[in-house]
Amino acid sequence: MAIAKKTILSESEAIAKLTDFLDDNFYKAVQAIYNSKGRIVITGIGKSAIIAQKMVATFNSTGTPSLFLHASEAIHGDLGMIQNEDVIICISKSGNSPEIKVLVPLLKRFGNTLIGITGNMTSFLAKGSDYTLNTTVDKEACPINLAPTNSTTAQLVMGDALAVCLMETRDFKPENFAVYHPGGALGKKLLLKVSDMIEHSLKPTVSPDASIKKAIFEISEKRLGVTAVVENNKVIGIITDGDIRRMLNERDTFADLTARDIMTKSPKIVQSSTMAIDALNILEDFSITQLIVVDNDEYKGVLHLHDILKEGII
């Protein structure tokens, strides 16, 4: 436990010091990326290459088109990935590795803006970059001060700082985020609407004067635990299976009753354009399992809690 705590504290201290390194280079790097008509090409070697791949994933998911270029593969044909308008980010702790020394002049030859992320501000990479972001660390968390730990965490955080600044600059909103995350629970929370879940939904319906037997039959046949009570094409109430049970508990006979007599007036209603997550919040707030869907007074169907559960957004 003591070693784990020491490692975490060491990395957190290294990250905290990055705030002292932020300068005009960082501002200009953000502006260069924001104003670029191309993509971000992020390159590195070794552990820095792994950090580069994570940066690519973050940028792509937050509205900045990016791709990964492995430094060693770049000099064996992959430089063809780079287009004229692209901004290049090169990551290297030392900034002096053989691959970086070969790659930097090649990158500059194409005239692209080069942003260096390095822990050595006098390195070949630092001197060759248009803008240099300082990720110097005093030491690694590794007990022998060799395995990249603090240094790669610093690189990662600097990449996140760039991504978040770009999000703010672009006024990136949740709906924008959803566009890049359409799959899984996250995408569904941000994109799924009620209309997507009731497209093929049944529409249990009875008139106000319908017999209780008819209402029970409609609830059972449509298997949604509820039926809408509709008059003049407008929903005026609902009958749930709970209403039926309560009625049976309170009366010995129901031959003289109609749907109007036992329906719940002013049921909870949503529109088909309502977001699924908002519909779920209504269900939870009122401890109910069904919502009537109505558009412009037209009955569209029933949204059941199971429909939302089935989509896996909770």
Side-chain angles (χ1 to χ4, degrees):
M1 291 289 287
I3 295 172
K5 289 180 180 179
K6 182 179 178 182
T7 301
I8 293 170
L9 287 172
S10 178
E11 298 213 12
S12 64
E13 289 167 4
I15 293 170
K17 288 181 180 179
L18 291 180
T19 57
D20 297 330
F21 300 148
L22 296 177
D23 57 15
D24 200 46
N25 275 270
F26 184 89
Y27 172 79
K28 290 180 177 178
V30 172
Q31 290 302 308
I33 296 170
Y34 177 72
N35 293 323
S36 172
K37 296 178 181 178
R39 310 153 302 175
I40 303 180
V41 179
I42 310 180
T43 186
I45 195 164
K47 302 298 187 295
S48 294
I50 297 171
I51 299 300
Q53 291 178 71
K54 191 276 177 184
M55 285 188 192
V56 166
T58 300
F59 283 125
N60 280 330
S61 70
T62 53
T64 301
S66 308
L67 55 88
F68 170 67
L69 172 65
H70 197 283
S72 63
E73 296 298 327
I75 58 178
H76 293 287
D78 282 0
L79 279 175
M81 296 165 58
I82 301 174
Q83 299 177 2
N84 291 337
E85 299 291 339
D86 293 343
V87 173
I88 303 168
I89 297 178
C90 185
I91 310 171
S92 172
K93 177 187 176 182
S94 72
N96 286 322
S97 64
E99 294 85 359
I100 297 300
K101 287 186 173 181
V102 172
L103 182 59
V104 168
L106 296 174
L107 296 174
K108 295 298 293 180
R109 185 181 66 187
F110 292 106
N112 298 82
T113 298
L114 176 61
I115 300 169
I117 297 180
T118 182
N120 182 356
M121 296 301 287
T122 62
S123 65
F124 189 86
L125 174 59
K127 292 177 180 178
S129 298
D130 295 294
Y131 310 113
T132 305
L133 308 185
N134 188 352
T135 53
T136 300
V137 296
D138 296 333
K139 61 180 180 179
E140 301 287 4
C142 162
I144 57 175
N145 197 31
L146 290 177
T149 44
N150 290 1
S151 59
T152 47
T153 301
Q155 294 168 354
L156 185 65
V157 170
M158 188 63 76
D160 286 344
L162 284 172
V164 172
C165 285
L166 286 163
M167 290 176 70
E168 291 282 354
T169 303
R170 290 195 172 93
D171 193 24
F172 199 80
K173 291 181 168 56
E175 52 266 33
N176 303 126
F177 192 77
V179 171
Y180 302 105
H181 297 76
L186 177 60
K188 288 180 179 179
K189 281 183 180 181
L190 295 170
L191 290 175
L192 195 68
K193 295 181 179 180
V194 169
S195 57
D196 299 318
M197 293 181 288
I198 65 160
E199 184 178 1
H200 304 294
S201 173
L202 298 174
K203 294 169 61 177
T205 307
V206 294
S207 68
D209 298 325
S211 67
I212 299 302
K213 182 178 179 180
K214 169 65 176 173
I216 294 173
F217 180 79
E218 188 72 356
I219 293 173
S220 300
E221 183 183 43
K222 302 298 171 58
R223 303 178 67 179
L224 289 171
V226 65
T227 183
V229 181
V230 178
E231 185 176 42
N232 297 325
N233 296 320
K234 291 186 178 181
V235 176
I236 63 170
I238 62 168
I239 300 173
T240 68
D241 49 10
D243 293 327
I244 298 295
R245 286 194 298 272
R246 282 187 290 274
M247 177 206 66
L248 293 174
N249 285 332
E250 294 169 0
R251 298 178 65 95
D252 294 327
T253 178
F254 54 85
D256 59 330
L257 296 179
T258 64
R260 189 192 301 274
D261 296 323
I262 67 167
M263 72 181 187
T264 299
K265 298 178 181 178
S266 303
K268 300 304 174 192
I269 291 174
V270 293
Q271 296 180 328
S272 60
S273 60
T274 302
M275 301 304 296
I277 189 65
D278 294 331
L280 173 62
N281 290 335
I282 295 172
L283 291 171
E284 291 180 336
D285 289 344
F286 291 95
S287 298
I288 55 180
T289 56
Q290 303 100 345
L291 288 168
I292 299 298
V293 184
V294 174
D295 288 338
N296 298 320
D297 290 333
E298 181 183 353
Y299 175 40
K300 292 292 185 178
V302 175
L303 176 69
H304 197 286
L305 176 61
H306 291 164
D307 297 323
I308 299 177
L309 293 175
K310 201 161 50 176
E311 293 294 340
I313 68 173
I314 58 173

